[in-house]
């Protein structure tokens, strides 16, 4: 408590200083500075009100002798009054200062003065002296009757003037002067969250200036972006795209905002991740290649920084899926060729990866898989292929469409034939992209062995969990990397779900496998991802689906208990 | 129904009183009761706003009352004037009380407590009065900021937002007055003409005459706060009044910009006839000055040749049938004067010559 009051006192001094400099916000610099500080000032006002309402009048004057000045200066700054809830909090602060029973004329006068400030906030800016005021009075209308309509007309008129900029490119007289456009964008900064002003904000964002440089104020973009991220303004996607194209920091903030939401939300729930991503409007905006590149770059960076964390990988995949859906909806005729989005990738690889698995009958999935594998292998093993960005780029491109890897695993387990080398290579590459060719070959051998075991076990009448794990662990090299282990775990889990014999021992097997927290989370992730994928692709998996859901619930409960 | 309507009337009286010195007798309890009453009426507004019959009854009572109170003149501070006002009658009351210097200290203190309990205080209403007052303040500063920094008077007057808003308000009032009394609009407009700055009033009338005709929406839908609605037949009332007031029409045609008058004339045929009549009248007042070689007037307030020419030129650029009518009038005037082809004898000949291919 004491610390709070010390903080408040020093804040008070700071803001008192600021307000003195800003004065009535009539100069460009003072307006700029005011706009930069509007949110923080409002926070300060809230804290101040919290303190004032607990004190009686004399205490207030003791602690903050200049409070009258502070509040008065705030009232005369029209940018502050126009922002969010600042006017309301100011009035409440002023009300705290009113003396209920003034003892002498001094106190009465003070009351009067405070009263006039409150009046100013509520009824300032009248058209009294001008003809408009007299006209409205003559008709018997009060400001509350006509101000909303007046605001609406002004906004629509300004918005249509701005749009004439866009349509009438050659009609110089009707074009709005750039200084006026800049002025408007400045003035809109405090007003961004007022719903009446939204058409003007939209018009400002979408008007294309004829100057080389940006004429809108950067603080305007920041304010709109903040309001959009906090859902305090609703704008059509086209306006948001304009915002992000014209002001790169806003786009970066939007992506970071999404990352924060993803990190702080429940782990391993792809459905929720999909919601957040769609909600952010980023997939739709990414139909514009420039935006896609930036977002993709940020995902790439996150992936590298976290050493390929599975959560980040999952986010990349869900994002890509949302993006592809948005692209299909948006482009009846493709405006930009696919190559534009993945400039560093081989075009044929991009084409195959972007195929929708639902367009291909289930029985034929091995064909595109083989094709993908061959293309990738060629790029990765061919040292001279410099134009394709090296193994990481290829892996990153493939990782966008990681669903193919899951499909490959299922294909391997469902068929009784000899596992094709192409699929083995693909999986080994996906799970351990950094392996040298020898290591990879080793992994392929191991996987083949495990598959063979699983096939034999699936033919047995009865199966035990212990047998299964023992067989899978057989002949494994102790030095096998984490990637290879993850791959093998995946094979086992898929086996448990998909093969009837496996389902019977699933619980026991999972219990044996989940001996560390990390592996438990990995299994939870696998189950969630599998259910999500089956749902999306419309794969019928009777029995397996229910089992997966039950296992998921049980593991979640286990994790909760351990916490 | 009748008790409800009486409530309306009595609250309307309270609203009027809230601006007078009488409030010095109000104590905190009175303030509280008044606010409660306003709250109740607002609730009525929301409840019955879409209920056609009840709403119409309330509207009738309010319009009649405002009309009878001399809403078109003497009282500077009306009570409730129409149904929409009911929707924010608590704001109307609050602001009047706040601005009234005669309200006692105790009552004022209580009023402020009621109006601004502070952020974070839960309220049973979805839109607490505190928030709506703050929103109004915010909207006012928005208008101020936009006006100061972004506004430029639109040359196309009917599109200018200030004029447009005033025009919408005028048309709304006319619609209400028509319902109160058949002859209402003319008396109302005449009284406005006496009281208000005429220059602005003329522009507002022009803007009102040019508002786009909007298809009438069913009344039940309009529950939004603030902002006049569809013009409806208000425009017709304006025309009717102008036609009956020749001195107003003369000033109207003399002082408004040429282009604007042409558009008004195109839109309202009855007015175009009067306009042409005035123009021919003005033209007849000019005589030819042989020495200077131009047409001049006898008195200083007479129209000049240039003005006359500008107006006719603008009219000739209007789409038919107006253009054709103008040319016909010019030609018939020329014929009446003797159908001369030589300049200097008939102003109509000279005008037609000057207009050349346009006519």
């Amino acid at each position: 408590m004491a610390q709070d009051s010390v903080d408040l006192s020093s804040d008070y001094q700071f803001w008192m200083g600021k307000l003195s400099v800003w004065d009535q916000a009539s100069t460009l610099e003072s307006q700029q500075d005011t706009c930069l500080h509007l949110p923080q000032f409002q926070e300060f006002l809230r804290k101040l009100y919290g303190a004032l309402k607990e004190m009686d009048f004399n205490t207030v004057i003791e602690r903050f002798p200049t409070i009258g000045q502070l509040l008065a200066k705030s009232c005369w700054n029209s940018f502050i009054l126009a922002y969010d809830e600042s006017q309301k909090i100011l009035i409440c602060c002023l009300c705290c200062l009113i003396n209920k029973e003034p003892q002498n004329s001094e106190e009465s006068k003070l009351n009067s003065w405070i009263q006039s400030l409150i009046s100013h906030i509520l009824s300032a800016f009248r058209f009294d002296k001008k003809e408009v005021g007299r006209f409205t009075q003559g008709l018997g209308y009060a400001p509350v009757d006509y101000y909303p309509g007046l605001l609406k007309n002004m906004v629509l008129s300004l918005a249509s003037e701005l749009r004439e900029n866009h349509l009438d490119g050659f009609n110089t007289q009707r074009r709005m002067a750039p200084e006026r456009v800049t002025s408007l964008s400045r003035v809109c900064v405090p007003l961004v969250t007022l719903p009446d002003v939204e058409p003007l904000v939209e018009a400002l964002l979408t008007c294309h200036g004829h100057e080389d440089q940006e004429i809108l104020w950067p603080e305007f973009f920041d304010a709109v972006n903040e309001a959009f991220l906090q859902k305090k303004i609703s704008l059509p996607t086209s306006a948001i795209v304009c915002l992000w194209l014209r002001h790169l920091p806003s786009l970066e903030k939007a992506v970071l905002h999404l990352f924060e939401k993803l990190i702080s939300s429940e782990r391993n729930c792809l459905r929720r991740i999909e919601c957040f991503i769609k909600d952010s409007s980023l997939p739709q905006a990414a139909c514009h290649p420039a935006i896609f590149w930036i977002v993709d770059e940020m995902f790439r960076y996150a992936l590298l920084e976290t050493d390929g964390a599975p959560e980040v990988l999952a986010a990349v995949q869900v994002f890509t899926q949302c993006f592809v859906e948005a692209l299909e909806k948006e482009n009846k005729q493709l405006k930009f060729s696919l190559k534009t989005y993945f400039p560093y990738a081989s075009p044929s690889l991009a084409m195959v990866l972007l195929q929708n698995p639902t367009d291909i009958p289930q029985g034929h999935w091995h064909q595109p898989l083989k094709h993908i594998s061959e293309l990738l292998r060629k790029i990765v093993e061919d040292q001279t292929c410099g134009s394709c960005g090296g193994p990481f780029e290829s892996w990153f491109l493939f990782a966008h469409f990681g669903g193919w890897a899951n499909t490959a695993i299922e294909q391997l387990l469902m068929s009784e034939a000899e596992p094709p080398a192409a699929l083995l290579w693909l999986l080994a590459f996906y799970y351990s992209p950094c392996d040298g060719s020898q290591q990879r070959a080793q992994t392929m051998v191991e996987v083949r062995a495990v598959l063979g075991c699983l096939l034999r076990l699936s033919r047995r009448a009865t199966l035990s969990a212990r047998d299964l794990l023992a067989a899978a662990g057989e002949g494994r090299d102790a030095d096998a990397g984490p990637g290879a282990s993850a791959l093998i775990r995946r094979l086992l889990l898929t086996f448990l779900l998909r093969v009837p014999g496996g389902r019977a021992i699933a619980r026991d097997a999972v219990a044996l496998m989940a001996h560390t927290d990390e592996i438990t989370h990995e299994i939870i992730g696998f189950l969630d991802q599998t259910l999500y994928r089956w749902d999306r692709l419309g794969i019928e998996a009777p029995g397996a689906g229910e089992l997966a859901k039950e296992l998921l619930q049980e593991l979640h409960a286990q994790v909760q208990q351990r916490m | 129904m009748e008790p409800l309507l009486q409530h309306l009337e009595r609250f309307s009286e309270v609203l009027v009183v809230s601006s007078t010195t009488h409030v010095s007798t109000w104590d905190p309890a009175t303030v509280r009761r008044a606010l409660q009453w306003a709250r109740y009426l607002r609730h009525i507004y929301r409840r019955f706003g879409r209920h056609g019959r009840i709403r119409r009854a309330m509207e009738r009572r309010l319009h009649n009352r405002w009309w009878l109170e001399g809403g078109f003149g003497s009282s500077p501070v009306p009570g409730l004037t129409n149904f929409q006002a009911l929707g924010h009658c608590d704001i109307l009351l609050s602001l009047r009380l706040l601005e009234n210097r005669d309200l006692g200290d105790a009552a004022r203190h209580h009023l402020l407590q009621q109006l601004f309990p502070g952020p974070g205080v839960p309220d049973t209403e979805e839109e607490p009065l505190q928030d709506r007052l703050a929103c109004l303040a915010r909207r006012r500063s928005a208008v101020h900021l936009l006006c100061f920094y972004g506004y430029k008077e639109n040359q196309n007057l009917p599109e200018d937002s200030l004029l447009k808003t005033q025009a919408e308000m005028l048309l709304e009032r006319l619609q209400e007055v028509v319902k109160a009394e058949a002859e209402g609009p003319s008396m109302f407009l005449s009284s406005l003409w006496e009281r208000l700055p005429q220059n602005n009033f003329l522009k507002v009338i022009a803007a009102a005459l040019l508002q786009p005709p909007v298809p009438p929406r069913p009344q039940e839908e309009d529950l939004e706060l603030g902002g006049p609605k569809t013009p409806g037949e208000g425009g017709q009332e304006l025309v009717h009044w102008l036609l009956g007031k020749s001195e107003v029409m003369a000033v109207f045609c003399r002082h408004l910009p040429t282009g604007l008058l042409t558009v008004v004339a195109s839109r309202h045929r009855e007015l175009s006839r009067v306009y042409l009549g005035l123009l021919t009248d003005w033209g007849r007042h000019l005589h030819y000055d042989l020495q200077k070689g131009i047409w001049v007037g006898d008195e200083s307030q007479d129209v000049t040749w240039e003005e006359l020419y500008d107006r006719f030129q603008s009219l000739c650029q209007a789409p038919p049938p107006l253009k054709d009518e103008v040319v016909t009038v010019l030609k018939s005037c020329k014929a009446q004067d003797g159908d001369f082809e030589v300049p200097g004898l008939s102003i109509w000949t000279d005008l037609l010559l000057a207009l050349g291919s346009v006519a």
Side-chain angles (χ1 to χ4, degrees):
Chain A
M1 257 318 156
Q3 181 56 35
D4 280 348
S5 75
V6 167
D7 283 343
L8 190 58
S9 296
S10 66
D11 281 348
Y12 180 94
Q13 294 306 324
F14 172 74
W15 290 112
M16 193 68 199
K18 276 289 183 195
L19 284 165
S20 307
V21 170
W22 293 341
D23 197 25
Q24 290 185 39
S26 35
T27 67
L28 206 64
E29 293 78 21
S30 60
Q31 283 170 16
Q32 206 160 1
D33 204 35
T34 311
C35 287
L36 274 174
H37 290 89
L38 285 169
Q40 298 93 310
F41 184 63
Q42 182 163 284
E43 265 322 293
F44 163 71
L45 283 178
R46 271 194 222 275
K47 278 204 297 204
L48 184 63
Y49 171 69
L52 285 178
K53 73 177 178 181
E54 306 296 325
M55 300 187 222
D56 69 64
F57 184 74
N58 293 317
T59 324
V60 172
I61 296 296
E62 245 182 74
R63 260 198 84 188
F64 304 115
T66 55
I67 189 148
Q69 261 188 63
L70 180 114
L71 293 174
K73 283 186 202 284
S74 313
C75 292
W76 286 102
N77 188 323
S78 36
F79 280 76
I80 292 180
L81 289 187
Y83 178 70
D84 206 32
E85 298 191 321
S86 296
Q87 66 292 119
K88 181 164 77 175
I89 307 176
L90 268 175
I91 295 180
C92 293
C93 288
L94 283 166
C95 287
C96 291
L97 294 184
I98 298 231
N99 206 324
K100 187 161 178 182
E101 273 147 30
Q103 300 295 340
N104 52 42
S105 72
E106 278 267 324
E107 293 179 359
S108 274
K109 267 204 282 189
L110 188 61
N111 269 3
S112 267
W113 182 70
I114 294 175
Q115 178 63 41
S116 67
L117 283 179
I118 295 180
S119 268
H120 170 82
I121 298 176
L122 287 173
S123 320
F125 318 127
R126 42 184 107 212
F127 287 102
D128 268 352
K129 314 244 177 340
K130 295 168 143 195
E131 299 131 332
V132 180
R134 288 189 59 189
F135 186 80
T136 53
Q137 236 181 354
L139 282 181
Y141 281 114
V144 64
D145 293 313
Y146 64 84
Y147 259 95
L150 177 57
L151 181 58
K152 171 164 151 259
N153 282 341
M154 287 189 94
V155 165
L156 288 177
S157 152
L158 286 167
S160 79
E161 258 192 87
L162 280 166
R163 251 174 245 123
E164 274 165 6
N165 260 358
H166 184 55
L167 292 172
D168 272 356
F170 298 160
N171 192 339
T172 358
Q173 287 143 308
R174 298 192 34 200
R175 197 191 296 179
M176 201 189 267
E179 302 80 49
R180 244 181 100 211
V181 180
T182 313
S183 254
L184 270 178
S185 73
R186 191 165 57 240
V187 150
C188 280
V189 169
L191 296 173
V192 153
T193 55
L194 186 57
D196 311 86
V197 179
E198 190 259 311
L200 179 57
V201 171
E202 197 185 318
L204 281 169
L205 287 174
T206 52
C207 82
H208 297 295
H210 298 265
E211 320 292 315
D212 288 330
Q213 289 171 319
E214 180 59 72
I215 50 175
L216 296 183
W217 246 32
E219 282 79 6
F220 170 71
F221 291 122
D222 279 327
V224 178
N225 199 43
E226 254 325 289
F228 176 73
L229 291 178
Q230 291 174 19
K231 307 271 175 238
K232 287 189 178 168
I233 187 178
S234 67
L235 288 168
T237 312
S238 54
I240 291 293
V241 169
C242 284
L243 165 65
W244 287 336
L245 283 174
R246 286 167 89 156
H247 191 240
L248 182 58
S250 289
L251 174 58
E252 288 172 350
K253 267 195 210 133
V255 179
L256 287 174
H257 182 84
L258 174 64
F259 283 178
E260 271 170 30
K261 271 215 270 200
L262 292 177
I263 291 172
S264 60
S265 83
E266 188 191 306
R267 271 175 93 172
N268 291 319
C269 182
L270 288 183
R271 204 162 288 286
R272 190 161 304 169
I273 293 179
E274 185 186 334
C275 264
F276 284 148
I277 289 181
K278 281 202 170 132
D279 210 31
S280 71
S281 300
L282 282 166
Q284 302 91 295
C287 292
H288 198 293
I291 295 185
F292 181 82
W293 297 332
I294 308 258
V295 179
D296 203 39
E297 177 69 32
M298 291 177 83
F299 269 119
R300 181 196 275 111
Y301 189 74
L303 210 54
L304 284 171
E305 284 292 295
T306 59
D307 278 330
E311 288 88 359
V312 181
L313 202 52
V316 172
Q317 287 165 2
V318 175
F319 177 81
T320 310
Q321 163 208 320
C322 294
F323 160 69
V324 171
E325 275 172 29
L327 202 59
E328 274 165 23
K329 253 194 256 181
E330 174 110 351
N331 294 333
K332 296 305 169 199
Q333 6 76 273
L334 272 177
K335 251 192 304 199
F336 298 100
S337 74
L338 296 173
K339 185 168 162 38
T340 333
Y341 297 98
F342 301 102
Y344 303 118
S346 113
S348 38
L349 179 59
M351 286 277 301
V352 183
L353 286 171
L354 273 158
Q355 275 178 309
N356 195 345
T358 52
D359 290 338
I360 311 166
Q362 262 193 52
H364 295 267
W365 280 347
H366 60 276
Q367 272 170 347
L369 281 171
K370 272 181 73 180
H371 195 188
I372 293 172
S373 177
E374 280 157 18
L375 286 170
L376 273 172
R377 192 163 188 168
K378 190 149 164 276
I379 296 169
V380 170
E381 293 184 344
D382 183 356
Q383 306 288 19
T384 62
C385 182
S387 68
C388 296
F392 176 73
E393 282 307 320
S394 306
W395 178 84
F396 184 54
L397 174 62
F398 181 56
H400 280 79
F401 304 94
W404 286 109
N406 300 329
T407 309
I409 291 183
E410 283 184 359
Q411 289 286 299
L412 286 175
L413 283 170
M414 304 306 262
S415 114
E416 303 215 338
E418 182 66 22
L423 294 191
L424 292 176
W425 187 92
L426 188 62
L427 287 169
F429 173 65
Y430 181 60
Y431 279 88
S432 291
C434 306
D435 282 352
S437 51
Q438 213 180 10
Q439 187 75 354
R440 191 164 293 138
Q442 177 68 16
T443 308
M444 284 165 72
V445 164
E446 277 183 39
V447 171
R448 181 173 285 138
V450 170
L451 283 170
C453 276
L454 291 175
L455 187 59
R456 282 196 303 278
L457 288 172
S458 72
R459 293 194 182 123
R460 280 210 217 151
T462 56
L463 205 53
S464 91
R466 232 168 258 290
D467 285 344
L468 179 71
L469 267 77
E474 220 171 68
R476 291 200 55 208
D477 200 333
D479 299 332
S485 311
L487 172 55
I488 291 178
R489 268 197 295 276
R490 196 92 186 203
L491 285 167
L492 288 176
L493 288 166
T494 312
F495 175 82
L496 289 171
L497 285 183
R498 291 292 244 161
V499 174
R503 287 205 276 276
I505 54 162
R507 264 188 193 77
D508 295 335
V510 167
L512 283 175
M513 285 169 74
H515 53 263
T516 70
D517 268 348
E518 198 166 313
I519 297 189
T520 313
H521 277 294
E522 193 189 296
I523 300 178
I524 292 177
F526 163 77
L527 290 167
D528 179 68
Q529 202 178 67
T530 309
L531 284 167
Y532 177 76
R533 189 167 147 266
W534 285 348
D535 190 44
R536 236 182 28 94
L537 295 179
I539 295 179
E540 298 281 323
E546 288 81 34
L547 177 62
K549 282 191 198 127
E550 284 165 23
L551 283 171
L552 197 53
Q553 262 180 340
E554 285 164 24
L555 285 171
H556 271 304
Q558 242 180 44
V559 169
Q560 288 284 56
Q561 274 179 347
R562 282 190 212 161
M563 288 205 320
Chain B
M1 180 62 78
E2 186 55 32
L4 177 61
L5 296 177
Q6 280 184 4
H7 270 308
L8 281 183
E9 290 199 8
R10 296 232 292 282
F11 182 77
S12 197
E13 283 164 17
V14 168
L15 202 53
V16 174
V17 165
S18 66
S19 296
T20 65
T21 54
H22 195 72
V23 299
S24 53
T25 62
W26 284 23
D27 61 4
T30 322
V31 169
R32 185 169 52 245
R33 274 201 299 276
L35 285 174
Q36 274 171 348
W37 208 354
R39 199 171 180 165
Y40 165 68
L41 284 176
R42 183 157 181 265
H43 169 75
I44 295 286
Y45 168 82
R46 292 160 81 93
R47 175 91 172 73
F48 293 115
R50 296 178 208 276
H51 196 301
R53 195 176 65 86
I54 296 184
R55 176 182 170 145
R56 276 192 293 277
M58 289 198 270
E59 274 178 341
R60 246 196 319 272
R61 183 64 68 101
L62 287 172
H63 295 164
N64 283 342
R65 200 206 159 73
W66 182 61
W67 182 249
L68 289 170
E69 271 176 11
F72 55 100
S74 44
S75 156
V77 184
L80 289 170
T81 57
N82 62 16
F83 188 68
Q84 284 85 329
L86 216 54
H88 44 261
C89 58
D90 48 357
I91 296 187
L92 284 169
L93 178 67
S94 313
L95 289 177
R96 286 197 194 180
L97 285 174
L98 276 175
E99 288 171 28
N100 195 335
R101 297 197 162 281
D102 292 313
L103 190 65
D105 280 333
R108 184 183 299 282
H109 186 79
H110 185 78
L111 174 67
L112 284 171
Q113 268 183 328
Q114 290 279 297
L115 293 180
F116 300 104
V121 171
D123 198 308
T124 46
E125 267 190 70
E126 337 76 79
E127 280 184 273
L129 178 55
Q130 179 179 245
D131 288 347
R132 284 156 50 225
L133 282 166
C135 186
L136 177 63
R138 192 175 184 201
R139 281 172 160 157
R140 289 178 90 145
S141 22
V143 167
H144 169 76
L145 283 173
L146 287 176
C147 223
F148 201 72
Y149 292 102
Y151 175 72
K152 203 178 67 173
E153 187 179 287
N154 197 328
Q155 299 301 58
N156 183 8
L157 286 184
E159 292 297 311
D160 177 77
S161 37
L162 280 173
L163 278 177
K164 185 164 186 226
T165 313
Q166 293 174 84
E168 285 168 352
M169 285 194 269
L170 178 64
L171 289 168
E172 184 180 76
R173 273 292 185 241
L174 282 174
Q175 264 190 307
E176 289 165 10
V177 166
V178 139
K179 291 185 194 148
E181 189 184 310
E183 286 310 305
S186 290
M187 293 166 67
F188 177 58
L189 286 166
S190 300
S191 121
L192 286 176
W193 177 251
E194 305 296 318
R195 291 182 292 138
L196 297 178
Q198 291 181 347
N199 215 357
N200 186 52
F201 190 39
L202 286 174
K203 289 194 215 158
V204 174
I205 292 177
L209 287 170
L210 293 175
Q211 287 306 304
V214 183
R217 289 178 293 179
Q219 287 219 304
E220 287 81 12
E221 287 179 10
D222 297 327
L223 265 202
E224 292 165 7
L225 165 71
K229 307 186 315 288
T230 62
E233 294 98 35
Q236 279 311 108
E237 300 298 332
L238 269 175
V239 172
H240 185 72
W241 177 69
L242 280 172
L243 289 175
K245 284 274 211 183
S246 54
E247 73 275 15
V248 179
M249 196 61 195
V251 183
F252 184 79
C253 294
R254 191 75 198 271
H255 288 289
L256 285 181
T258 312
L260 183 61
L261 281 168
T262 304
V263 183
V264 171
S266 312
R267 179 93 173 255
H268 298 274
R269 302 310 311 289
E270 316 94 317
L271 291 178
S272 72
R273 273 175 230 127
V274 177
Y275 184 34
L276 282 172
L278 280 168
L279 286 174
T280 48
D281 233 12
W282 292 340
R284 285 192 227 286
H285 276 122
L286 299 183
H287 65 268
Y288 195 65
D289 186 327
L290 267 172
Q291 275 195 316
K292 294 187 201 158
I294 50 169
W295 291 86
V296 294
D298 299 319
E299 288 142 53
S300 56
Q301 67 262 39
D302 278 339
V303 156
T304 65
W305 161 265
E306 286 76 21
E307 267 186 72
L308 210 54
Y309 171 75
D310 274 340
R311 287 169 192 281
F312 274 110
Q313 188 192 41
S314 172
L315 284 169
C316 287
Q317 285 167 342
L322 180 61
K323 171 188 171 147
D324 300 328
E325 200 179 302
V326 172
V327 173
T328 312
V329 165
L330 281 171
K331 288 198 174 141
S332 84
C333 284
K334 171 182 167 192
Q336 274 180 358
D337 270 3
D339 223 0
F340 297 111
E341 294 299 338
V342 178
L345 293 170
S346 159
I347 190 171
W348 310 112
T349 312
D350 287 12
L351 274 171
L352 278 165
L353 284 172
L355 287 168
S357 56
V358 183

